[in-house]
């Protein structure tokens, strides 16, 4: 198609026609008449996820206590089995991944396991753009060990307020650092950090390094084993569509198998030993050791169906379409919205941008309210950020086109002015 047509609806329709993943949209409950661009905060429900949730309710109904070992998906092995299915999405071996806990709980578990302050090495390195929950967890872990978080948590600063420079991070990898915890994809700007390089640099200095994959799992491919990352953790309710508050995941490099879980419980046990009820724990010999208590079976259930979609669609295909969608969105924003003071603050290069676009505007809170009024679902991040995530599995190029037209109308007619420029309770 000629360049002249690139900003017309027909062009978007043409892209949708060529889209090899288009058929997956009908697998999801996409609300008629609205455009959902918030899959990076809470992914939509798929019919397969709904079905596996019902299937596990049926096991409860039909088997009672025996659902632990019987039925289509025996509960006792569910976390392990889901870990195996999820492993390719993070580039781990099947034994290195377990579906358990939540982001924050898993971070606590992994810091409890890997943070062993000794001699001069007592500090934890993170970054000032990190998600608050991660920072709260790290500070409380330091306090539990008797350290003053204001001295022992080093937060690498950002020079532009949006992105981190890997060189700045490496410069802070000093000999008093015991542990590094960083995001794979920054939750605001969507920047991808170079995990391979950061891991190699940390290991040169004998420092353990772990990543929070909340914004990258299901959105970009990873090679955690190959990169030799020590550990990682994430939630499954964003790009992986596992359902609100659904069970999270963690990765522990197999070279660390045998390390005693910092926070142990009876589900840390080797499966065959667990019901011996011994007061000495024999931990599982793989990532399973980092579980604690009984799995939240009904909150694991939707992930069974959801992950089958990822397997079928293929992570490389999902990433390829996601890059096209976000590139198209940026092109349209630059072409249609240049006069309205909306600035694109995510990195623009393919290898540095994750699955969402990050815009800033002083009126962002009420622009988001105006978008919602027009049935476009964005994501506001205080004080002035708008995240837009066109998701490969269920969004279309036409929706991207339509969203930009509506945003343009909102800006041109100043429709946002009828709303207060304040965030909602959940934003
Ligand atoms: C979504 C998100 C969390 C949420 O943690 P929960 O324990 O699941 O509430 C934490 N960190 C990051 C970077 C996130 O994006």
């Amino acid at each position: 198609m000629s360049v002249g047509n690139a900003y017309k609806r027909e062009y978007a329709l043409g892209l949708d026609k060529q889209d090899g993943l288009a058929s997956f949209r009908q697998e999801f409950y996409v609300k008629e008449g609205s455009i959902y661009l918030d899959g990076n905060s809470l992914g939509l429900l798929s019919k397969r996820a709904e079905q596996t949730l019902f299937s596990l309710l049926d096991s409860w109904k039909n088997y009672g206590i025996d659902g632990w070992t019987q039925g289509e998906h025996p509960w006792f092995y569910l976390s392990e089995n889901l870990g195996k299915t999820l492993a390719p999405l993070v580039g781990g071996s099947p034994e290195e991944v377990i579906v358990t806990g939540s982001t924050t709980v898993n971070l606590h578990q992994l810091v409890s396991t890997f943070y062993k302050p000794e001699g001069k090495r007592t500090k934890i390195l993170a970054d000032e753009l990190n998600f608050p929950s991660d920072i709260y967890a790290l500070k409380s872990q330091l306090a539990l060990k008797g350290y003053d978080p204001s001295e022992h948590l080093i937060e690498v600063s950002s020079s532009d307020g949006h992105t981190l420079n890997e060189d700045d991070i490496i410069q802070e990898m000093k000999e008093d650092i015991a542990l590094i915890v960083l995001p794979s994809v920054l939750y605001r700007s969507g920047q991808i950090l170079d995990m391979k390089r950061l891991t190699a640099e940390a290991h040169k200095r004998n420092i353990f390094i772990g990543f929070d994959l909340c914004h990258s799992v299901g959105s970009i491919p990873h090679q955690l084993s190959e990169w030799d990352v020590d550990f990682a953790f994430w939630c499954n309710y964003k790009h992986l569509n596992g359902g609100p508050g659904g069970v999270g995941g963690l990765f522990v490099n197999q070279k660390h198998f045998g390390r005693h879980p910092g926070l142990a419980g009876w589900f840390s046990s080797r499966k065959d030993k667990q019901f011996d009820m011994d007061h000495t724990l024999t931990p599982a010999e793989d990532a399973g050791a980092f579980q604690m208590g009984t799995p939240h079976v009904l909150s694991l259930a939707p992930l069974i169906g959801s992950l089958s979609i990822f397997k079928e669609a293929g992570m490389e295909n999902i990433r390829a379409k996601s890059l096209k969608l976000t590139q198209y969105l940026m092109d349209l924003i630059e072409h249609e919205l240049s006069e309205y003071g909306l600035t694109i603050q995510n990195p623009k290069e393919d290898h540095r941008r994750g699955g969402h676009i990050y815009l800033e505007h002083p009126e962002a809170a009420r622009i988001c309210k105006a978008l919602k009024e027009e049935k476009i679902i964005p994501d506001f991040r205080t004080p002035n950020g708008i995240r837009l995530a066109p998701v490969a599995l269920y969004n279309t190029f036409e929706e991207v086109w339509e969203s930009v037209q509506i945003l343009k109308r909102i800006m041109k007619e100043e429709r946002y002015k009828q709303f207060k420029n304040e965030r909602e309770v959940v934003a």
Side-chain angles (χ1 to χ4, degrees):
M1 201 166 276
S2 76
V3 178
N5 287 336
Y7 306 109
K8 294 250 165 71
R9 186 193 291 269
E10 288 67 35
Y11 183 77
L13 290 170
L15 292 174
D16 284 327
K17 268 214 183 90
Q18 296 161 22
D19 172 16
L21 297 179
S23 64
F24 287 99
R25 178 176 166 87
Q26 67 206 37
E27 301 246 8
F28 287 85
Y29 287 100
V30 180
K31 201 166 166 193
E32 192 80 47
S34 88
I35 299 177
Y36 194 77
L37 297 178
D38 207 3
N40 61 327
S41 249
L42 180 71
L44 289 180
L45 174 65
S46 64
K47 291 167 191 171
R48 292 195 214 184
E50 179 184 50
Q51 201 185 350
T52 50
L53 174 58
F54 284 143
S55 155
L56 287 206
L57 276 172
D58 269 339
S59 315
W60 181 19
K61 204 188 282 176
N62 296 325
Y63 299 100
I65 187 79
D66 289 328
W68 286 104
T69 50
Q70 293 176 29
E72 201 184 341
H73 305 285
W75 312 330
F76 193 56
Y77 305 101
L78 194 50
S79 300
E80 283 77 10
N81 287 337
L82 280 168
K84 286 190 186 107
T85 314
L86 209 157
L89 295 180
V90 297
S93 71
E95 298 76 28
E96 288 174 320
V97 178
I98 188 85
V99 174
T100 188
S102 65
T103 311
T104 310
V105 168
N106 292 342
L107 173 56
H108 273 293
Q109 168 67 293
L110 293 161
V111 175
S112 301
T113 304
F114 284 92
Y115 174 53
K116 304 279 183 216
E118 221 189 313
K120 272 184 75 181
R121 277 196 199 277
T122 54
K123 295 184 178 170
I124 299 180
L125 181 62
D127 68 275
E128 68 166 1
L129 300 180
N130 214 315
F131 195 85
S133 198
D134 299 43
I135 296 297
Y136 303 160
L138 294 177
K139 285 185 177 172
S140 66
Q141 285 285 336
L142 286 164
L144 279 169
K145 291 272 194 322
Y147 293 112
D148 179 357
S150 66
E151 278 175 25
H152 286 263
L153 180 66
I154 308 298
E155 295 185 64
V156 177
S157 44
S158 159
S159 55
D160 61 3
H162 301 289
T163 57
L164 297 169
N165 185 329
E166 279 89 354
D167 292 329
D168 295 341
I169 299 173
I170 293 163
Q171 198 148 40
E172 293 294 338
M173 294 182 184
K174 297 179 181 153
E175 52 194 23
D176 54 358
I177 303 292
L179 182 72
I180 304 171
V181 178
L182 293 167
S184 50
V185 167
L186 274 63
Y187 77 101
R188 299 167 72 92
S189 71
Q191 178 195 3
I192 302 177
L193 287 181
D194 187 340
M195 287 175 262
K196 182 179 176 179
R197 177 175 173 218
L198 292 168
T199 302
E201 294 293 336
H203 288 170
K204 270 189 212 161
R205 296 161 178 81
N206 291 317
I207 309 171
F208 287 144
I209 185 164
F211 292 94
D212 179 331
L213 309 186
C214 278
H215 279 277
S216 63
V217 68
S219 170
I220 66 172
H222 309 72
Q223 298 302 336
L224 297 184
S225 298
E226 196 186 305
W227 300 334
D228 203 27
V229 168
D230 292 296
F231 64 86
F233 53 98
W234 58 88
C235 59
N236 290 317
Y237 52 74
K238 290 172 179 161
H239 289 277
L240 286 184
N241 312 316
V247 179
L250 65 81
F251 162 94
V252 171
N253 192 305
Q254 59 185 352
K255 70 184 178 190
H256 297 303
F257 288 176
R259 190 170 275 265
H260 204 82
L263 302 175
W266 73 318
F267 269 79
S268 315
S269 182
R270 233 172 68 181
K271 303 297 263 188
D272 59 326
K273 289 286 228 175
Q274 183 171 343
F275 279 83
D276 288 351
M277 307 308 254
D278 203 334
H279 276 198
T280 303
L281 169 69
T282 308
E285 283 149 9
D286 53 23
F290 303 95
Q291 301 173 86
M292 288 182 245
T294 306
H296 304 171
V297 173
L298 296 182
S299 292
L300 285 166
L303 201 56
I304 306 170
S306 182
L307 288 179
S308 77
I309 297 180
F310 280 82
K311 193 168 176 195
E312 219 172 285
M315 197 55 235
E316 298 294 334
N317 298 328
I318 290 170
R319 174 61 170 162
K321 178 175 171 189
S322 165
L323 281 172
K324 271 193 200 165
L325 283 164
T326 49
Q327 184 63 55
Y328 183 51
L329 178 55
M330 290 191 295
D331 290 348
L332 288 173
I333 289 167
E334 279 171 355
H335 185 258
E336 305 276 349
L337 296 168
S338 57
E339 62 197 279
Y340 302 109
L342 284 155
T343 51
I344 299 178
Q345 297 292 6
N346 52 276
K348 292 181 182 167
E349 310 93 306
D350 282 8
H351 72 282
R352 288 182 74 228
R353 90 174 179 275
H356 67 265
I357 293 306
Y358 185 65
L359 300 177
E360 284 196 340
H361 192 283
E363 311 281 355
R366 49 180 172 173
I367 292 170
C368 284
K369 288 179 191 174
L371 280 167
K372 276 198 159 173
E373 180 86 357
E374 307 274 344
K375 307 270 189 286
I376 313 266
I377 317 301
D379 194 75
F380 172 67
R381 279 294 168 261
T382 196
N384 55 0
I386 304 172
R387 294 190 304 190
L388 300 173
V391 172
L393 286 173
Y394 49 77
N395 287 118
T396 64
F397 290 91
E398 191 189 15
E399 284 183 316
V400 169
W401 183 86
E402 185 83 37
S403 301
V404 173
Q405 304 312 309
I406 290 171
L407 181 54
K408 186 176 179 179
R409 203 157 65 224
I410 288 169
M411 300 312 294
K412 196 170 169 180
E413 298 171 9
E414 301 188 330
R415 289 187 188 198
Y416 55 86
K417 291 202 166 158
Q418 59 184 298
F419 303 96
K420 277 198 180 143
N421 198 35
E422 292 169 359
R423 70 169 170 83
E424 304 287 336
V425 178
V426 174

